[in-house]
Amino acid sequence: TSAYVPYKVKDIALADWGRKEIRLAEAEMPGLMALRREFGPSKPLQGARIAGCLHMTIQTAVLIETLAELGADVTWSSCNIFSTQDHAAAAIAAAGIPVYAWKGMTEEEFNWCIEQTLFFGEDRQPLNMILDDGGDLTNMVFDNYPELISGIKGLSEETTTGVHRLYERMKNGTLHLPAINVNDSVTKSKFDNKYGCRESLVDAIRRATDLMLAGKVAVVAGYGDVGKGSAESLRGAGCRVLVTEIDPICALQAAMDGYEVVTMDEAAERANIFVTATGNVRIITDRHFRKMRDKAVVCNIGHFDNEIDMAWLNTNYGHSKSSIKPQVDMYEIDGKEIIVLAEGRLVNLGCAMGHPSFVMSCSFSNQTLAQLELWNNPGKYENKVYVLPKQLDEKVAALHLAHVGAKLDTMDEEQAAYIGVTKEGPFKSEWYRY
Ligand code: NAI
């Protein structure tokens, strides 16, 4: 165990600004604030030492302070080298919560930061809960600190890619803890991944490039939840949007939603803007880069930077790279200039401010409920991946209705019986797809 470092952020003087923005965010995060009112007084997370590894943004600050208000001790790192909002990190550090995160860190610093979150306080108490986004913290504990596993009650995972890793581990017999898949709460993936990206993708491209989007041809690779929101974001800005897919169902959905579905080889020649949203690897590779038009903008909104073959690009054309501003680089390939955003890392957090608070309140209410469930029910869960019960999913949605002025009808007994549910929910079967 390393010596105690109380926090490490870019500039603690940014704390006041961060605090003001946290206050504004709280007003847009009714789910988290309701959970504070419901559970704040009884402190059901008392004794929990939660290590979190999730984009250190203003919205995440509201999550962290919710967990703290419910009684937990919390340490934090960011799950991406570019996603920290330095004023948010400063405000959390100033509030006395150990946070290790700044925008624009190296890979080595990234690992150092995660490592700092494993042990709490001067007396170096080990973590007993994991809250992860993408699985890097989980992997560090499982692979490098296996002696800590027996003291940990469980983990909750935020994103599609991290959840994928957990199911792989379950299949291989290397999942050593009960895990809650937060991503597949309906009020997470069908909201954050979709409506979040609908707002934050175009925001990122605009902040990075100031490009006129109307009239441009854009391609979105992958028409899952993130792809659906991303395609709509670009269409809303006036782009003509192409979609690539490997799944016939999602390809057909894209076609029925009015997008042209093409191969990446075709899109490579036609598009001005490239966005990868697959959670898969090598979506844009050398042969696509070579076909691109001059001044094409290339970015990724999936979790990892391997959707775009950055390794190939940097090995072969790294010498031509010039920085226009932080997180905006230009490469020259066969006489054409190609603009790459956020070094191929998730663009909405690298070049903009991530998703807005309101939609993150849905995601983080699920995170909070997952932590409560795992912490308060030791022995209830095996070393498997679970999703939260539908009733809690519906509760999260319900907590967000008033804020958008939505009013619910209620059923009478006859109606409820007619469709085979109870008046209080759950209102749908487990296999309903929304
Ligand atoms: P998803 O599984 O719903 O969608 C991915 C889609 O990509 C699928 O429809 C799949 O068929 C398609 N696909 C896979 N390989 C492909 C290929 N070679 N070419 C074309 N399409 C291909 O996953 P979801 O939830 O949309 O997440 C995508 C990624 O975005 C994940 O890495 C996830 O962790 C990340 N994510 C990022 C967010 C952000 O704010 N930047 C928010 C939420 C998720």
Side-chain angles (χ1 to χ4, degrees):
T1 18
S2 50
Y4 177 54
V5 179
Y7 65 83
K8 190 162 163 55
V9 299
K10 177 89 115 213
D11 181 3
I12 194 71
L14 299 173
D16 284 346
W17 175 30
R19 180 53 54 189
K20 287 178 189 159
E21 291 220 345
I22 289 169
R23 279 203 51 238
L24 289 180
E26 286 170 355
E28 279 284 296
M29 302 186 87
L32 287 181
M33 300 314 274
L35 293 176
R36 287 187 193 185
R37 284 192 299 276
E38 182 177 351
F39 296 112
S42 61
K43 308 272 177 246
L45 290 177
Q46 196 98 58
R49 288 186 298 275
I50 303 172
C53 180
L54 194 156
H55 312 291
M56 183 58 250
T57 64
I58 292 291
Q59 292 70 36
T60 302
V62 183
L63 168 63
I64 292 169
E65 295 194 328
T66 301
L67 297 170
E69 185 147 341
L70 271 50
D73 285 329
V74 184
T75 58
W76 216 264
S77 63
S78 199
C79 61
N80 185 279
I81 63 170
F82 290 139
S83 64
T84 296
Q85 296 168 3
D86 288 318
H87 61 329
I92 288 300
I97 295 172
V99 52
Y100 311 89
W102 57 97
K103 189 179 183 82
M105 54 176 57
T106 64
E107 300 272 0
E108 296 74 57
E109 290 167 335
F110 177 78
N111 287 320
W112 180 87
C113 286
I114 297 178
E115 240 157 357
Q116 302 314 301
T117 65
L118 303 180
F119 300 94
F120 287 54
E122 301 276 10
D123 54 350
R124 310 275 67 200
Q125 290 292 308
L127 79 170
N128 56 26
M129 293 290 290
I130 292 174
L131 191 159
D132 210 354
D133 181 344
D136 289 332
L137 167 60
T138 303
N139 282 352
M140 178 168 302
V141 170
F142 285 4
D143 299 340
N144 301 346
Y145 292 86
E147 68 278 11
L148 298 181
I149 293 170
S150 63
I152 302 174
K153 288 199 186 175
L155 72 93
S156 60
E157 167 57 52
E158 175 84 359
T159 199
T160 316
T161 287
V163 161
H164 175 74
R165 287 175 160 186
L166 293 176
Y167 284 108
E168 286 282 298
R169 280 189 177 274
M170 189 163 80
K171 204 169 74 190
N172 302 335
T174 57
L175 179 62
H176 308 299
L177 291 170
I180 291 186
N181 162 0
V182 168
N183 183 68
D184 287 291
S185 287
V186 178
T187 50
K188 200 286 186 180
S189 47
K190 298 292 171 184
F191 289 82
D192 164 329
N193 304 26
K194 182 180 174 186
Y195 302 116
C197 292
R198 188 171 73 176
E199 307 239 350
S200 61
L201 172 63
V202 155
D203 184 21
I205 297 172
R206 287 197 198 288
R207 289 189 198 213
T209 66
D210 301 309
L211 199 63
M212 178 88 179
L213 295 182
K216 296 288 191 297
V217 176
V219 57
V220 175
Y223 201 66
D225 293 316
V226 169
K228 287 178 174 75
S230 298
E232 210 180 332
S233 184
L234 291 159
R235 175 151 73 187
C239 291
R240 282 174 291 147
V241 182
L242 314 177
V243 167
T244 74
E245 254 295 344
I246 46 95
D247 177 340
I249 296 177
C250 296
L252 189 59
Q253 280 184 312
M256 303 291 274
D257 285 339
Y259 300 105
E260 195 180 344
V261 182
V262 299
T263 63
M264 185 55 82
D265 281 297
E266 179 179 340
E269 295 173 0
R270 293 174 56 194
N272 307 103
I273 298 163
F274 294 78
V275 181
T276 54
T278 68
N280 203 344
V281 295
R282 290 189 303 99
I283 302 304
I284 295 181
T285 61
D286 52 350
R287 72 173 195 276
H288 305 120
F289 274 114
R290 291 192 197 286
K291 288 182 185 168
M292 283 179 195
R293 302 162 62 149
D294 187 43
K295 304 291 186 301
V297 173
V298 181
C299 64
N300 162 51
I301 196 164
H303 190 79
F304 284 119
D305 61 346
N306 50 6
E307 299 206 25
I308 302 170
D309 196 347
M310 292 302 296
W312 173 84
L313 187 61
N314 284 319
T315 305
N316 292 280
Y317 292 93
H319 62 276
S320 76
K321 176 178 170 181
S322 69
S323 171
I324 293 171
K325 63 182 184 183
Q327 283 85 58
V328 183
D329 297 301
M330 195 158 72
Y331 292 78
E332 194 184 316
I333 303 175
D334 305 343
K336 289 174 292 187
E337 291 179 329
I338 307 294
I339 296 152
V340 177
L341 306 185
E343 297 180 14
R345 294 166 204 266
L346 68 193
V347 71
N348 58 332
L349 285 139
C351 293
M353 300 300 275
H355 296 343
S357 300
F358 184 69
V359 84
M360 294 314 298
S361 178
C362 292
S363 305
F364 290 164
S365 296
N366 282 293
Q367 276 290 3
T368 305
L369 291 168
Q371 290 285 320
L372 280 170
E373 184 65 24
L374 290 166
W375 177 251
N376 288 305
N377 296 287
K380 178 172 167 189
Y381 295 102
E382 298 171 54
N383 293 350
K384 291 182 177 166
V385 187
Y386 298 86
V387 291
L388 286 172
K390 191 173 289 292
Q391 206 120 28
L392 290 180
D393 216 344
E394 291 174 351
K395 171 178 172 169
V396 169
L399 291 175
H400 291 86
L401 289 178
H403 192 74
V404 289
K407 301 180 192 101
L408 267 187
D409 264 327
T410 51
M411 293 183 289
D412 60 27
E413 297 292 351
E414 185 193 341
Q415 287 177 308
Y418 191 79
I419 62 167
V421 300
T422 61
K423 274 170 64 182
E424 301 72 36
F427 299 99
K428 296 288 194 292
S429 65
E430 279 311 317
W431 55 89
Y432 188 78
R433 293 195 175 89
Y434 299 87

